[in-house]
Amino acid sequence: MKKSKCIYLVLTLMFILILSPKVLAEENKEIEKALIDQLGDDYEKKLELNQKAADNATKIEKYFSKKRNGEIKYPNYIGGLYINKNNNLVVQFVESAIPAENDKQYNNYQAIKNVSEDIDIEFVSYSYLDLQEIHDIILDYYLNKNENKNIVGLHIDVEKNSVIVNFREYNDEVINYFKENVINSPAVVFDKGEVYSVVSDSNNEKDNDTIKVTDINPGAGFTIIGNNEKKSDCSVGYRARLTSDPKRIGFVTAAHCFNAKGNTSTIYSLPNIGKVTKFQFDEDLDAAWVETFDNINPTNKFEYEQTFNPNILSQRDGDYVSTEIDKRHLQGRYVAKLGTSSMITIGEISWPSDTITFVHKDKDGNEIESVLKDVVLVNGSNGGAAPGDSGGVVVQVQYGDFINKYPTNGIVAASNNGTSYYAYIKATNINNAFGLERY
């Protein structure tokens, strides 16, 4: 199958920043409600345990080797790591591959088991390397040979120690065809899947009581108007600059936001914000970098001024997106999303690397389907992502003495209609593709 690519140049764009004034007391209630809705009344304890589990994962991964690109390489006796519903870190061992006592890896194995008394140990059939090999075979088919487009999702589920394949039409005939033509492995689990949709909003009408701004915060909304007068409302992601020329600064957002033809035009007498100088919309990435003009100041401060971390409710200095980038995306880790429509929502990572089929609009405004790989799926049961949240930043929720700063995970891409699941694009993939760095 020919790969679907939707790449088109966007030379200069005008942005209309939509800043709806908020009452601080009301905003605080929204944040508190988000925590309770997602985690329950005992959210403080859950946040603390979730943080401890993530810290234990960091300790364990020090015993793993790394690839040339810096990614963790699991040894062949490890099935994976994930945080379970009790917020304990689970370490999976492949019993048949555990190193013998005279093996040089045996000491590492023993050290991993004894990192903390808080970790749970499971014995599984497949190593993560086994699952990755099976996943890559299916991924090649998904991207290049999926003529009937019946596969709409693919990921490794560490908790289930399986590779999950999602079908648009799910029946015995489809499953048998897959086993005969792609791979027949007991490690593969089949399920009904849905096509995702981007969460830019092409129909939303914003109020006219906007204000002139010079600071652009993560989670703020902006509107694009093209020559065909169709609006697209999206959210600001994270601040970034060119690694090769740090004086050139801007912010990252979703590429699919710019589906309108041509340049935008000024309305509401607001100034130009910047122009898109980095753009990629294909199976590898859905991201754009907006280089801001000299009078515009991208910040790291949350657009919503009230903190949502219970450990610092008494501190009213605001929250910040940290320049630290999360490279792990640990299954079960708590994250938060900032977007102009649903503001702050909290969820947990379901699958750290998924390939999805999603619906978006092409440059002529027609709905089409494309595939996007290596996205992170989040279950945000207190709201997920809503139209207008595309491009908004996703951050890691931490607990303890971290001075209001939340590591950067990525930006919102798409949501599963009618569910609480949404997908985000990893900041590491964006920065590597565009030559960007956080600051």
Side-chain angles (χ1 to χ4, degrees):
M1 181 187 75
K2 186 178 180 181
K3 296 182 182 179
S4 176
K5 292 185 180 286
C6 306
I7 305 178
Y8 39 88
L9 293 176
V10 182
L11 299 178
T12 305
L13 294 162
M14 295 269 246
F15 296 84
I16 298 93
L17 228 66
I18 308 301
L19 299 183
S20 302
K22 306 288 183 184
V23 179
L24 292 184
E26 291 181 357
E27 188 63 42
N28 185 45
K29 290 179 182 178
E30 287 294 322
I31 295 164
E32 192 78 8
K33 183 177 182 296
L35 276 168
I36 294 172
D37 285 351
Q38 177 66 21
L39 305 181
D41 292 331
D42 58 343
Y43 57 80
E44 290 188 59
K45 184 63 176 177
K46 289 179 179 176
L47 285 175
E48 182 181 9
L49 292 174
N50 194 264
Q51 179 69 47
K52 183 183 291 186
D55 292 342
N56 284 333
T58 300
K59 294 175 185 177
I60 288 173
E61 288 176 348
K62 290 180 180 178
Y63 295 100
F64 299 163
S65 61
K66 290 187 177 181
K67 302 175 184 178
R68 288 186 177 180
N69 62 3
E71 291 182 3
I72 294 294
K73 182 180 179 181
Y74 288 119
N76 64 353
Y77 58 86
I78 291 290
L81 310 176
Y82 71 95
I83 300 174
N84 66 15
K85 297 302 180 183
N86 296 321
N87 278 303
N88 287 337
L89 180 70
V90 178
V91 183
Q92 296 175 330
F93 291 110
V94 182
E95 195 164 16
S96 61
I98 290 175
E101 290 187 24
N102 60 351
D103 192 306
K104 62 181 180 180
Q105 291 199 60
Y106 183 77
N107 288 338
N108 281 352
Y109 163 69
Q110 288 290 352
I112 290 169
K113 285 202 307 180
N114 296 305
V115 158
S116 170
E117 61 183 14
D118 296 320
I119 67 171
D120 293 338
I121 292 175
E122 290 180 350
F123 293 98
V124 295
S125 300
Y126 307 103
S127 71
Y128 193 85
L129 296 177
D130 293 333
L131 297 177
Q132 188 68 59
E133 183 178 351
I134 294 169
H135 170 276
D136 290 348
I137 291 171
I138 301 172
L139 179 62
D140 178 68
Y141 181 87
Y142 188 179
L143 297 177
N144 302 312
K145 305 169 186 176
N146 189 25
E147 291 89 356
N148 59 9
K149 298 184 178 180
N150 201 33
I151 301 177
V152 293
L154 171 68
H155 64 268
I156 294 174
D157 190 327
V158 175
E159 183 174 3
K160 293 181 179 179
N161 194 229
S162 300
V163 178
I164 311 297
V165 179
N166 298 118
F167 290 123
R168 190 191 309 257
E169 297 293 332
Y170 178 56
N171 53 53
D172 289 341
E173 182 180 353
V174 168
I175 292 172
N176 291 334
Y177 180 87
F178 180 93
K179 290 180 177 180
E180 292 172 4
N181 293 277
V182 186
I183 191 172
N184 186 1
S185 168
V188 179
V189 175
F190 306 105
D191 199 1
K192 181 78 169 68
E194 302 292 339
V195 174
Y196 278 65
S197 298
V198 297
V199 282
S200 57
D201 189 354
S202 58
N203 299 310
N204 191 27
E205 294 294 330
K206 297 291 186 182
D207 296 331
N208 290 336
D209 60 345
T210 55
I211 57 176
K212 184 176 180 179
V213 295
T214 55
D215 288 351
I216 299 178
N217 302 326
F222 63 87
T223 298
I224 306 158
I225 296 182
N227 291 342
N228 60 2
E229 299 301 318
K230 289 184 178 179
K231 284 188 178 182
S232 178
D233 296 320
C234 286
S235 297
V236 175
Y238 60 86
R239 185 172 76 172
R241 64 189 179 192
L242 284 181
T243 305
S244 61
D245 188 358
K247 292 183 179 179
R248 296 177 63 183
I249 63 174
F251 64 87
V252 170
T253 189
H256 68 253
C257 295
F258 308 103
N259 60 338
K261 286 183 177 179
N263 300 334
T264 59
S265 56
T266 304
I267 61 172
Y268 303 142
S269 299
L270 288 180
N272 292 341
I273 301 300
K275 61 181 179 179
V276 170
T277 55
K278 299 286 185 179
F279 185 88
Q280 185 175 338
F281 192 9
D282 56 22
E283 65 193 27
D284 293 313
L285 207 63
D286 173 8
W289 180 64
V290 180
E291 184 176 1
T292 50
F293 295 132
D294 291 341
N295 62 321
I296 302 300
N297 177 42
T299 81
N300 284 320
K301 188 175 182 180
F302 283 16
E303 173 67 8
Y304 311 106
E305 302 236 342
Q306 299 299 303
T307 176
F308 62 83
N309 191 285
N311 210 32
I312 50 173
L313 282 177
S314 61
Q315 301 176 20
R316 286 298 170 219
D317 296 329
D319 291 319
Y320 294 82
V321 180
S322 169
T323 56
E324 177 188 352
I325 294 179
D326 177 29
K327 298 179 181 180
R328 184 194 294 124
H329 312 279
L330 184 64
Q331 188 167 329
R333 193 72 165 98
Y334 293 143
V335 295
K337 174 213 91 292
L338 278 71
T340 187
S341 294
S342 57
M343 297 186 293
I344 297 174
T345 60
I346 298 164
E348 66 179 57
I349 293 175
S350 293
W351 300 296
S353 181
D354 203 334
T355 301
I356 62 171
T357 298
F358 68 107
V359 175
H360 63 94
K361 291 184 179 180
D362 65 13
K363 61 182 180 179
D364 297 316
N366 302 312
E367 285 195 350
I368 60 172
E369 288 187 1
S370 294
V371 174
L372 185 61
K373 63 184 184 182
D374 198 24
V375 296
V376 181
L377 289 193
V378 175
N379 184 2
S381 61
N382 71 321
D389 289 339
S390 277
V393 69
V394 178
V395 298
Q396 185 183 104
V397 179
Q398 297 197 98
Y399 186 87
D401 184 18
F402 58 91
I403 321 177
N404 310 38
K405 292 187 177 180
Y406 304 84
T408 310
N409 281 47
I411 61 170
V412 177
S415 68
N416 193 335
N417 293 333
T419 76
S420 57
Y421 287 92
Y422 69 88
Y424 73 79
I425 301 157
K426 298 174 182 177
T428 47
N429 291 350
I430 298 170
N431 291 356
N432 289 340
F434 290 165
L436 301 175
E437 63 184 12
R438 293 282 286 116
Y439 72 101

